[in-house]
Amino acid sequence: LELQTRLSRDVFVQTALALVDDEGLKSVTIRRLAEFHGVTPMALYRYFDDKIRIFDALAERLLSDVSIPEPDGRPWHDQVTDLLAAFVAALRAHPDAAILVLTRILQSNPGFAVTDRMLSLLTAAGFAVEAAAETASQALCSLVSVVITEPGRVAGNDVDGHDAAIRLQKATLSALDPRSYPHVVAAADALTRCVDTERYYRRSISAIVAGLRASQAIPEDTARRTSKSIGTKAAPRTRRPTTTTRCR
Amino acid sequence: LELQTRLSRDVFVQTALALVDDEGLKSVTIRRLAEFHGVTPMALYRYFDDKIRIFDALAERLLSDVSIPEPDGRPWHDQVTDLLAAFVAALRAHPDAAILVLTRILQSNPGFAVTDRMLSLLTAAGFAVEAAAETASQALCSLVSVVITEPGRVAGNDVDGHDAAIRLQKATLSALDPRSYPHVVAAADALTRCVDTERYYRRSISAIVAGLRASQAIPEDTARRTSKSIGTKAAPRTRRPTTTTRCR
DNA sequence: ACCTGAACACCGTTCAAGT
DNA sequence: ACCTGAACACCGTTCAAGT
């Protein structure tokens, strides 16, 4: 009579988002979401195949909050700067959910849109397709980690413990042996709190854009004079051949 | 008689690491670790206060695998390149554990060592203390996310579903409406698999280093002509004042 | 000092029903 | 089509003992 369909994907995503913002990512639980809507946990399975789909939906939600700027006549790097700034703004609105985006940019239309604009600008800048793809992904996911690791943030923490945690962290760094880690001790303050958050993000974005411009200058396949081989083989996965299609 | 102290922090960390490499991060469980050593779950609490400490120890272990190059007479950016390469190498050896490092670089001596060397090189390059701190953190955590999101990797997946997942992902991108996401469709292949993994990491590192060099060129406080304000306020946390010291 | 036993509160998820 | 009920297999963690 009052409301015929209270439940929907969107309603649950909205609740989940409020929950992350309030109590952190691990508070997002099928049972809590159900309880919140006065419903059985099983009711959620009408809308999400499993818990991962709820996380997928959350990431999509964050990405849909990115207000992609319209293309204009300015130089490509200025437009990239604005696009990345919009991306960061969307993530910063829900810092504890930001980590969900890290591996999910290419899993929803909003993510495709951001990536496509990024690729478009890089292509216009002269990047080859492959280089543009790698570079775009790297720029975006770097910014996700910049948001996640913003100095002075402690993930999943409540307001009470927050300040205390920061102070403790700074005290720990300051108390280190200066003969072993002189620069860490000297930078203890800057490493544990952000004096100017806006500048922090401005610096991050402009460092990334500067990297893009420098990469663009180099035509292709930069033969670095690094003597060392980069990286090692990943530890081999020795899992029995179970039934396939575990991930759809 | 045979072995008096089979159990130790190190033994559990070793097992946990094997477990992550084999079956992904969520397979690391107090109960499974205990079972593996023929012991009660409670036995682990002698060595770790809680599960998070196990993750902390895993992150520390990865960071201790970074073979920090000795300082030499070469230009700072070349030395930074090698340091970052060593950092990436350590992460790539245990890709599913890499995400643990993201928020734990400043939580153990091995992490202090990497950070200190990074700060040392940036200071030598002329960075102010604060700029060096932010820049060093950003460079390191960006590389963590670069490893995590390496194209052609699917976290926590077994070998069987792996190839199928990649193919599906590429097919999905290729099947997108080219009028909506033309560049994504065109770059579907490059976005889903790494043709040359070494080049991928070489590019990532040199993009970061290029960003550092460009930032170094700019003296301080870069007044960008970005019209938009970057970022928004984070959603306020409205948690009741519960007992403090939840995080020690 | 080091490990056990039993229990608690909480998960995600299955299967079979209800209406 | 949409939700429920009961159950299962698995968590992390507490408290109180054992030796």
Side-chain angles (χ1 to χ4, degrees):
Chain A
L1 172 55
E2 250 195 49
L3 22 109
Q4 35 194 16
T5 49
R6 299 165 47 242
L7 268 42
S8 69
R9 271 182 69 93
D10 246 40
V11 162
F12 286 121
V13 172
Q14 198 62 31
T15 309
L17 198 59
L19 223 37
V20 201
D21 290 339
D22 248 38
E23 306 183 38
L25 194 55
K26 68 185 193 307
S27 73
V28 176
T29 270
I30 292 183
R31 291 181 121 101
R32 285 195 65 173
L33 288 173
E35 188 192 33
F36 199 90
H37 289 91
V39 107
T40 270
M42 286 307 97
L44 285 251
Y45 284 82
R46 267 308 133 182
Y47 305 95
F48 304 95
D49 281 356
D50 50 31
K51 198 189 174 178
I52 293 176
R53 303 300 140 173
I54 300 178
F55 285 160
D56 292 348
L58 271 174
E60 177 174 357
R61 170 62 205 277
L62 287 215
L63 286 164
S64 74
D65 285 346
V66 179
S67 56
I68 303 177
E70 286 300 311
D72 53 43
R74 290 179 305 153
W76 68 271
H77 53 265
D78 284 337
Q79 298 193 58
V80 166
T81 300
D82 285 357
L83 177 59
L84 295 181
F87 183 68
V88 163
L91 297 178
R92 287 181 68 191
H94 308 281
D96 281 344
I99 198 171
L100 296 175
V101 174
L102 195 53
T103 57
R104 289 180 176 88
I105 298 183
L106 289 177
Q107 287 189 16
S108 67
N109 285 337
F112 298 147
V114 174
T115 307
D116 202 81
R117 173 58 49 82
M118 195 68 189
L119 290 176
S120 164
L121 292 170
L122 291 179
T123 304
F127 280 83
V129 190
E130 196 193 307
E134 287 183 3
T135 308
S137 300
Q138 192 201 338
L140 293 175
C141 73
S142 292
L143 281 176
V144 174
S145 71
V146 164
V147 171
I148 293 170
T149 64
E150 178 193 312
R153 272 204 70 246
V154 238
N157 231 349
D158 38 345
V159 268
D160 316 316
H162 182 80
D163 279 6
I166 300 296
R167 272 195 302 274
L168 179 74
Q169 166 78 338
K170 191 200 160 184
T172 306
L173 295 189
S174 300
L176 289 175
D177 183 358
R179 282 166 306 184
S180 304
Y181 316 109
H183 300 92
V184 171
V185 173
D189 192 67
L191 286 169
T192 48
R193 75 165 224 271
C194 235
V195 286
D196 186 342
T197 317
E198 300 307 319
R199 187 176 61 184
Y200 170 77
Y201 285 107
R202 237 185 293 124
R203 256 209 279 254
S204 302
I205 292 175
S206 59
I208 288 174
V209 174
L212 298 181
R213 298 181 71 173
S215 306
Q216 173 215 25
I218 302 165
E220 183 66 11
D221 214 309
T222 82
R224 308 290 295 167
R225 64 197 140 197
T226 310
S227 53
K228 304 190 151 62
S229 153
I230 297 174
T232 70
K233 291 260 177 57
R237 293 171 168 273
T238 52
R239 189 89 165 104
R240 256 169 314 286
T242 54
T243 50
T244 322
T245 50
R246 175 73 194 102
C247 58
R248 35 228 143 134
Chain B
L1 172 54
E2 250 195 50
L3 24 110
Q4 33 194 16
T5 49
R6 298 166 50 245
L7 269 42
S8 69
R9 270 182 70 94
D10 246 39
V11 162
F12 286 121
V13 171
Q14 198 63 30
T15 309
L17 197 59
L19 223 37
V20 202
D21 290 339
D22 248 39
E23 307 181 38
L25 194 55
K26 66 184 195 307
S27 75
V28 176
T29 271
I30 291 182
R31 292 181 118 100
R32 286 196 63 174
L33 287 172
E35 188 193 34
F36 199 92
H37 289 92
V39 108
T40 272
M42 283 310 95
L44 285 250
Y45 284 82
R46 263 316 127 178
Y47 304 94
F48 305 95
D49 282 355
D50 49 33
K51 197 188 175 178
I52 292 174
R53 302 300 141 174
I54 300 179
F55 285 161
D56 291 348
L58 271 174
E60 177 174 356
R61 168 65 205 274
L62 287 216
L63 286 164
S64 74
D65 286 345
V66 178
S67 57
I68 303 177
E70 285 301 311
D72 52 42
R74 292 178 304 153
W76 67 271
H77 53 264
D78 284 336
Q79 297 194 59
V80 167
T81 301
D82 285 358
L83 177 59
L84 295 181
F87 183 69
V88 163
L91 298 178
R92 286 180 68 192
H94 308 281
D96 282 344
I99 198 169
L100 296 175
V101 175
L102 196 51
T103 56
R104 290 180 175 89
I105 297 183
L106 287 178
Q107 287 190 13
S108 66
N109 285 337
F112 298 147
V114 174
T115 307
D116 202 81
R117 174 58 50 83
M118 194 70 188
L119 291 175
S120 163
L121 292 170
L122 291 179
T123 304
F127 280 82
V129 191
E130 196 193 307
E134 287 182 3
T135 308
S137 301
Q138 192 200 340
L140 293 175
C141 73
S142 291
L143 281 176
V144 175
S145 72
V146 163
V147 171
I148 293 170
T149 64
E150 178 193 311
R153 272 204 70 248
V154 239
N157 231 347
D158 38 344
V159 267
D160 317 316
H162 182 80
D163 281 7
I166 301 297
R167 272 195 302 274
L168 180 74
Q169 166 78 338
K170 190 200 161 185
T172 306
L173 295 187
S174 301
L176 289 175
D177 184 359
R179 282 166 307 186
S180 303
Y181 316 109
H183 299 91
V184 171
V185 174
D189 192 67
L191 286 168
T192 49
R193 74 166 225 271
C194 235
V195 285
D196 186 342
T197 316
E198 300 307 319
R199 187 175 61 186
Y200 169 78
Y201 285 106
R202 236 185 292 126
R203 255 208 280 254
S204 302
I205 292 175
S206 59
I208 288 173
V209 174
L212 298 181
R213 298 181 70 173
S215 306
Q216 174 214 24
I218 303 165
E220 183 65 8
D221 215 310
T222 82
R224 306 291 296 167
R225 65 196 140 200
T226 310
S227 53
K228 303 189 152 57
S229 155
I230 297 176
T232 71
K233 292 260 177 58
R237 293 171 168 275
T238 53
R239 189 90 167 102
R240 255 170 314 286
T242 54
T243 50
T244 323
T245 48
R246 174 74 193 100
C247 57
R248 29 214 148 143

